[in-house]
Amino acid sequence: MQEPHLRQDRIPQHVAIIMDGNGRWAESRGLDRNDGHREGLESVRSVVRGAREIGIQTLTLYAFSMENWNRPKAEVTALMGLLDHYLEVEIDEVMENGIRVRAIGRLDRLPPGTRSAVEGAIEKTRDNRSMDLVFALSYGGRTEIVDAARRLLRDAELGEVDPEGLDEKTFASYLYAPDVRDPDLLIRTGAESRVSNFLLWQIAYTEICTTDLMWPDFRKPHLVNAILDFQTRERRYGLTSAQVGGRRGGLGSDS
Ligand code: FPP
């Protein structure tokens, strides 16, 4: 199903989302923060379906940051439970829609049950090609860069990498998901304009769209609106407007 008002030649190939505002959504209604996370899961369902319908190739969701480990234990447990629930309940629809589940982050820190649910979904969906759904879990952008540097240094010690010849392309090949293109569009809900340690390397040229909506209120129509906004942007990659030919919402080869 295509969105009639979206330009089909300018659909962002990779959309990344910082899903913020679950707690405030709940607190403003006198509810428990975990009720906000539960409602946030409905937004995840809507946006995953919507992204697939729109024709987005990769959707990355910031589901749990490294910093989130410091939240109260009950909230961490509730968030892990929601992830388990999503993977269990949605896996059939995910398969039917040809979605490949992937994950980036320090997965070794996840509780064993959650980790095996994530790994099971990755394994089950590995041959799907319609859309990649990437969960950033136990993820930090700086941690990802440090992890990449550690592996790179090991390879340098083994003589497999020449430090003098190191370039951005080689460095990027050590990131968690090197085959995933950089996001074209980053959406942040929750009325904040921070990057919050998300995909620090990958968002160098990403268009950013923020909204005052709290994540539980963000559904497919809002995703469409963010893409409409994206389609008005001129991506210049450091060049002049004339050099890029006034291209709006273009995808560029290095993005
Ligand atoms: C931010 O809201 C959101 C999170 C910490 C996690 C995102 C989790 C979900 C959307 C629910 C489950 C998702 C999956 C993929 C199973 P916040 O608590 O920081 O909100 P606040 O800033 O208002 O406190």
Side-chain angles (χ1 to χ4, degrees):
M1 194 199 309
Q2 291 189 344
E3 293 299 322
H5 45 307
L6 285 176
R7 283 199 52 164
Q8 292 306 311
D9 58 337
R10 290 178 183 170
I11 301 294
Q13 291 183 30
H14 182 179
V15 175
I17 307 185
I18 302 176
M19 308 181 287
D20 191 21
N22 294 349
R24 278 166 288 158
W25 182 91
E27 282 157 9
S28 72
R29 288 163 174 77
L31 300 171
D32 187 78
R33 290 178 58 82
N34 290 336
D35 294 324
H37 295 316
R38 254 191 300 281
E39 192 59 26
L41 189 57
E42 296 308 315
S43 298
V44 170
R45 290 195 171 104
S46 169
V47 166
V48 170
R49 264 180 218 142
R52 168 78 178 79
E53 286 162 3
I54 290 165
I56 288 165
Q57 286 172 8
T58 306
L59 176 69
T60 299
L61 300 178
Y62 203 2
F64 195 89
S65 71
M66 287 294 282
E67 292 73 24
N68 288 156
W69 288 118
N70 300 319
R71 291 198 174 190
K73 196 165 176 291
E75 187 170 340
V76 171
T77 304
L79 283 166
M80 293 297 146
L82 282 177
L83 182 61
D84 296 346
H85 177 76
Y86 177 85
L87 293 173
E88 194 186 319
V89 170
E90 295 291 306
I91 194 71
D92 290 343
E93 188 179 328
V94 163
M95 280 304 287
E96 276 160 28
N97 284 297
I99 296 172
R100 177 165 63 166
V101 174
R102 307 185 59 175
I104 52 173
R106 289 255 181 108
L107 304 187
D108 55 329
R109 278 193 72 176
L110 296 175
T114 301
R115 187 173 174 186
S116 61
V118 171
E119 287 172 349
I122 292 171
E123 183 55 32
K124 185 161 185 184
T125 62
R126 63 182 303 155
D127 295 326
N128 292 345
R129 289 292 178 272
S130 296
M131 184 177 89
D132 276 358
L133 172 58
V134 185
F135 288 109
L137 291 170
S138 186
Y139 176 87
R142 287 183 175 177
T143 303
E144 178 176 26
I145 291 169
V146 170
D147 284 350
R150 185 181 305 105
R151 293 197 298 117
L152 179 73
L153 287 169
R154 271 192 217 126
D155 282 355
E157 264 170 28
L158 295 170
E160 287 170 14
V161 174
D162 168 21
E164 296 307 318
L166 181 65
D167 57 14
E168 291 178 13
K169 196 163 172 243
T170 306
F171 190 88
S173 74
Y174 283 84
L175 297 171
Y176 292 143
D179 58 311
V180 173
R181 61 181 278 129
D182 292 345
D184 302 295
L185 172 63
L186 171 67
I187 299 170
R188 180 175 185 139
T189 62
E192 307 284 3
S193 307
R194 289 187 291 275
V195 168
S196 294
N197 204 13
F198 190 41
L199 302 175
L200 294 182
W201 175 278
Q202 296 88 338
I203 60 171
Y205 288 101
T206 298
E207 296 295 327
I208 300 180
C209 175
T210 59
T211 165
D212 288 346
L213 286 173
M214 300 294 129
W215 176 250
D217 289 327
F218 190 93
R219 300 289 159 104
K220 182 188 172 187
H222 309 108
L223 176 64
V224 171
N225 285 344
I227 296 172
L228 283 169
D229 180 1
F230 169 82
Q231 293 187 334
T232 68
R233 312 274 182 98
E234 182 183 71
R235 306 184 74 190
R236 290 196 290 275
Y237 303 97
L239 303 179
T240 67
S241 183
Q243 281 177 304
V244 296
R247 181 183 61 202
R248 292 200 179 270
L251 297 171
S253 58
D254 60 344
S255 65

